[in-house]
Amino acid sequence: MDHFAVIFGKQDARSPLTDAVTELSWSSQRDEIARSMSVRMKDAPDIHVAGMLMCFSQQTRGVLLHAKNQFFHGPIIKVEKDEFTNAWELEANEISWYLAKNKGTRPYLKGDAGEELQRFIRTTGIDFRCPKLGFTLDERYGTMPHSELILDVLQKAYERSGYRYHLDVIRTDQSFYLQVTREGTNTKVPIFIPDQMEASTAGYSLEETYTVVTAQKYKDDKLIASVTKSDAGGIKTLGRMEEILEVEENENPATVATQRLKSLSTPKQIKKITVKHEDHTLAGLRAGWLVLIKTDHVSKWIVESADTSFRNGLYTVQLVLERREA
């Protein structure tokens, strides 16, 4: 495979797998902590679980095996070898998968949500970076995996701001760090045209639609404030669907209810496409990316899920998309 490489690493040892690979596929989903990858190989060198799978595509000029060209890095969690044909199947997850395999003991977050999340995860020794998320927390969590804590805070950020976030792995020359990134802020924005598409469907969904939002504030387990905002037109045409949120002590329930109703009261426009391309710079495409579709006009979409396979130099990508208006 030209301009593409797969490497197996165990401690300081490195073994090239590129020539043995017959097919790779990887996927990412919104609200998941790590991407997953499957690899099929023939006549490969000896592979072990807990070794690292590293994948590179020619995204920049220069040496292929450079940090800027690496789009996947993570532990091999399952290995199967056919003892008759010497065919291998591997399953690997992004390095952030380890956040789901370690728990924090009753973490307490008090202060800016992003800063507090960053502070706590860094106590584990992980280089974890998170921007300010625009709200504060004063919450004692139960003992839980680090991944669940991160996803809970990011869900709260979405409820307050209407912005979704995902976790990305950023490679450096010597190491890596984990970065919380707002959806749609990718610097490389793919543009797909109908000629690249094998399939395309479009529609709407009510799964995340609410026409009534109630924001409640509690103190010492007692309800001290409750504000309900409704979309009368939406109730008439779509039906009554109510979301109830608990707000923090310093938040205004009316403001939160108004903001959430605005973002939730319209049915979500969705699209599913299957795209084929040969662009190695798009190997890292994942849930949370902004993509453009160019027909008689250019429309903006956020990737909810991405399933990619790579074989014989050709990428096949199945995308579930959500319309982005601005």
Side-chain angles (χ1 to χ4, degrees), residues 99 102-107 120 124 141-147 149:
L99 292 167
N102 291 277
K103 292 184 177 181
T105 303
R106 303 197 68 211
F120 179 77
T124 67
Y141 287 84
T143 298
M144 62 171 59
H146 301 317
S147 57
L149 175 64

Side-chain angles (χ1 to χ4, degrees), residues 1 4-10 12-22 24 39-47 52-56 64-65 76 88 90:
M1 289 184 283
F4 196 96
V6 182
I7 304 294
F8 171 71
K10 188 71 172 180
D12 293 332
R14 297 289 183 269
S15 300
L17 301 179
T18 311
D19 291 341
V21 171
T22 57
L24 295 93
V39 186
R40 293 183 177 181
M41 300 185 298
K42 183 77 172 181
D43 300 323
D46 199 20
I47 306 294
M52 289 292 163
L53 187 71
M54 295 169 277
C55 300
F56 301 78
L64 175 60
L65 300 181
I76 295 172
W88 293 74
L90 312 179

Side-chain angles (χ1 to χ4, degrees), residues 77-138:
I77 62 171
K78 185 178 180 180
V79 175
E80 292 186 14
K81 179 183 178 182
D82 189 314
E83 297 176 339
F84 291 96
T85 65
N86 202 29
W88 293 74
E89 290 193 16
L90 312 179
E91 292 182 13
N93 279 334
E94 217 164 19
I95 192 74
S96 46
W97 173 79
Y98 280 111
L99 292 167
K101 300 296 287 184
N102 291 277
K103 292 184 177 181
T105 303
R106 303 197 68 211
Y108 181 37
L109 306 186
K110 184 176 183 179
D112 178 86
E115 291 180 348
E116 282 295 284
L117 182 61
Q118 177 175 291
R119 175 194 60 79
F120 179 77
I121 299 299
R122 281 188 170 184
T123 64
T124 67
I126 297 171
D127 188 351
F128 180 88
R129 306 180 188 185
C130 184
K132 289 186 175 183
L133 298 175
F135 70 103
T136 60
L137 279 174
D138 185 358

